[in-house]
Amino acid sequence: MAAAARIRVFGGCWQGGRAAVASRGRFSSASGEGPGKEALPPPPENGTSGFCPPLHSCHDWIGPPDQHSNIRPIIFYIPKHESPLERRLRGLRQETQAWNQQFWANQNVLFRKEKEEFIRSRLKAKGLELRDEQGQKVTLDAEEMAEFYKAFLRKNYKKQLFYNRDWYKRNFTITFITGRVALERAWRRLGFKKEKN
């Protein structure tokens, strides 16, 4: 509850782009890991409005979902007297956000591309066009689309497995360091500051 109170959502001037902090991560998409990796073109870049939280803000700011990844970018608050452990935590969160953004942007671009190809090939096999006489998009029924979803999941199983493995490792590390930061802050509040040698 306290964490939710410290987060501010911004809108309007953010145009679906990635936050500047999201582009600093060192990790690439999990789609580039493991057997059967395939190079995907990066999703189209979005322009951002240059939005920046007010200087006096002491909260994380969350933007609207990115149009490719559907992930809300976060601009992380940097405390004035950030400890090395707090800096490490913020860095890990930023890297994880960038990694997550890249994976889901690539995965969603691939999904949409393959879905369109599947629909086009099925309609062509039936002798139908993509649009009917009224200009409406022709769709396939649920059973036919279920075939595509099943095939897509099967084809991307290993990629998803690597992603899930890394996601749990990252979240465990972030949770562990968050606990250490909370302990450090409580220690500071109680007046037990580390003495400098």
Side-chain angles (χ1 to χ4, degrees), residues 35-181:
K37 64 182 178 181
E38 53 187 87
L40 284 177
E45 288 295 324
N46 293 333
T48 62
S49 65
F51 175 83
C52 193
L55 289 176
H56 58 80
S57 173
C58 56
H59 305 284
D60 291 346
W61 285 66
I62 301 175
D66 178 80
Q67 70 178 18
H68 300 291
S69 69
N70 294 323
I71 292 175
R72 292 179 176 273
I74 302 170
I75 296 179
F76 295 92
Y77 166 65
I78 304 172
K80 191 174 183 180
H81 302 290
E82 187 178 47
S83 73
L85 191 60
E86 289 171 324
R87 190 175 309 112
R88 181 175 168 209
L89 175 62
R90 180 174 51 82
L92 265 168
R93 290 177 67 205
Q94 288 173 333
E95 287 175 3
T96 299
Q97 175 180 296
W99 169 80
N100 216 10
Q101 162 69 29
Q102 189 64 43
F103 175 84
W104 286 110
N106 286 341
Q107 189 73 350
N108 291 344
V109 165
L110 178 67
F111 175 82
R112 288 184 197 110
K113 180 181 166 227
E114 289 189 13
K115 182 179 171 185
E116 286 300 316
E117 288 171 2
F118 178 83
I119 292 171
R120 191 175 289 116
S121 69
R122 285 294 171 104
L123 291 176
K124 189 176 179 182
K126 293 178 177 182
L128 299 171
E129 294 294 321
L130 288 174
R131 299 197 176 269
D132 62 16
E133 297 82 33
Q134 289 83 31
Q136 297 291 321
K137 243 184 159 182
V138 178
T139 57
L140 300 175
D141 63 30
E143 281 186 29
E144 287 178 296
M145 288 310 297
E147 287 177 41
F148 165 74
Y149 299 133
K150 184 178 177 182
F152 184 83
L153 288 172
R154 190 181 320 111
K155 180 180 171 186
N156 291 281
Y157 175 77
K158 283 190 178 175
K159 189 192 301 184
Q160 192 69 42
L161 199 65
F162 287 121
Y163 169 80
N164 286 343
R165 180 200 63 197
D166 290 348
W167 176 246
Y168 281 111
K169 279 166 55 175
R170 286 170 181 273
N171 274 320
F172 177 78
T173 304
I174 288 170
T175 302
F176 179 72
I177 295 174
T178 299
R180 288 181 58 198
V181 165

